[in-house]
Amino acid sequence: MIVVLTGAGISAESGVPTFRDAGGLWEGHAVADVATPEAFAANPDLVQSFYDTRRRLLADVEPNPAHYALAQLEAAYDDGLVIVTQNIDDLHERAGSQSVVHMHGQLRSALCTSCGQQSPWDGDLAPHPPCPVCGRHTLRPDVVWFGEVPYDMEYIQHALLMCDEFVSIGTSGAVYPAAGFVSFAGATGARTLEINLERSEGSDNFGESRRGPAGMLVPEWVDEVLARR
Ligand code: BJW
């Protein structure tokens, strides 16, 4: 089985801004200033607006060759492929991938802080619409902020234990627990490969690192995997 971890870099060539590259600021705010429960408590309208803007951007972007190559691999690879994405966009699904775990949540979902219900959501949250389930005006973006526990960790840890190959694509390796997955998978004997535009904070932990744009390197890697079956 192969586990693929994706980060903001895989969606960069689709036009989705990354977090920590040059320009990775939103209206002058660093990600740490808008992606925390404390920021949301202090300035909910600012934080809702940050996510409303990104949700609207989804309508203007398309999957790129890296997303499509992973979907092609999943369809053709009999030994199993799990994509664990830190991204909250839906570009993997729109490319055709089915086995996708969104460990940091999803833009197209709202979470009610009163009743805990997750609801599919495509509109803005800044106007404080009511929760479709309990009616309270307490919806927040269904995303995982610093200090919160990522989604589906048990499932991810099991997949990491079982995999023969772990591939990380387009992530800076700056945020845990995702940054620790390579060590976890490597300790159980999995082959580990990093595909990233530049050297990342985690590069030294991988058996192999390839540098370049995901839109070029991921299709090449998928061709290699399919050729060696
Ligand atoms: C390209 C490219 C191209 C560009 N092609 N490549 C020490 C140890 C362990 C934990 C901690 C620790 N200290 C603090 C912590 C906790 C904290 C943490 O990690 N802090 C760090 C600052 C150190 N972590 C947490 O709080 C997490 N929760 C947690 O640990 O709970 C405890 C627990 C865990 C497990 C079980 C039980 C309990 C939660 C972290 C939540 C992160 N949330 C965000 C926001 C999500 C919503 C949103 O999208 O707004 O997630 S922050 C932001 O960073 C977002 C991203 O998913 C995440 C990672 O960013 P990513 O994807 O790596 O993007 P970039 O921009 O950093 O990098 C892009 C890369 O792509 C670059 O390298 C480019 O070069 C490359 N690139 N173009 C290929 N074309």
Side-chain angles (χ1 to χ4, degrees):
M1 184 179 65
I2 301 175
V3 173
V4 174
L5 172 70
T6 64
I10 197 170
S11 295
E13 288 158 77
S14 293
V16 180
T18 63
F19 292 95
R20 294 172 185 81
D21 297 321
L25 291 176
W26 180 74
E27 294 190 359
H29 301 279
V31 63
D33 296 337
V34 279
T36 66
E38 293 78 16
F40 185 58
N43 199 342
D45 289 343
L46 175 83
V47 175
Q48 296 284 26
S49 175
F50 174 59
Y51 287 96
D52 285 349
T53 303
R54 290 170 62 193
R55 194 179 300 102
R56 276 186 244 130
L57 175 71
L58 288 185
D60 300 330
V61 298
E62 298 288 341
N64 67 55
H67 297 103
Y68 285 116
L70 292 178
Q72 180 201 353
L73 180 60
E74 182 183 358
Y77 191 69
D78 299 330
D79 292 344
L81 173 81
V82 175
I83 297 173
V84 178
T85 187
Q86 298 168 86
N87 299 341
I88 61 176
D89 65 51
D90 59 353
L91 294 179
H92 284 302
E93 287 87 348
R94 280 157 59 187
S97 289
Q98 298 187 352
S99 186
V100 185
V101 180
H102 282 270
M103 65 178 292
H104 290 165
Q106 302 192 56
L107 269 173
R108 298 182 64 194
S109 176
L111 174 68
C112 180
T113 58
S114 297
C115 71
Q117 187 70 38
Q118 295 166 297
S119 301
W121 205 267
D122 280 324
D124 285 354
L125 288 173
H128 305 290
C131 169
V133 177
C134 73
R136 306 228 9 224
H137 295 256
T138 48
L139 294 173
R140 58 164 272 187
D142 189 6
V143 302
V144 178
W145 287 321
F146 287 112
E148 298 181 327
V149 179
Y151 284 119
D152 299 317
M153 283 309 299
E154 270 187 40
Y155 178 86
I156 294 169
Q157 277 162 359
H158 181 71
L160 292 169
L161 271 176
M162 302 301 294
C163 71
D164 312 297
E165 186 159 359
F166 173 79
V167 182
S168 169
I169 303 169
T171 177
S172 57
V175 176
Y176 288 84
F181 291 171
V182 56
S183 305
F184 197 82
T188 66
R191 178 172 181 252
T192 56
L193 167 67
E194 176 186 61
I195 295 175
N196 209 55
L197 194 58
E198 59 196 9
R199 187 177 167 74
S200 79
E201 290 190 26
S203 291
D204 288 344
N205 300 320
F206 287 85
E208 183 186 352
S209 279
R210 299 182 187 180
R211 308 263 156 79
M216 184 179 81
L217 295 190
V218 175
E220 283 177 8
W221 169 70
V222 166
D223 285 346
E224 283 171 30
V225 174
L226 294 177
R228 74 175 183 234
R229 280 186 310 159

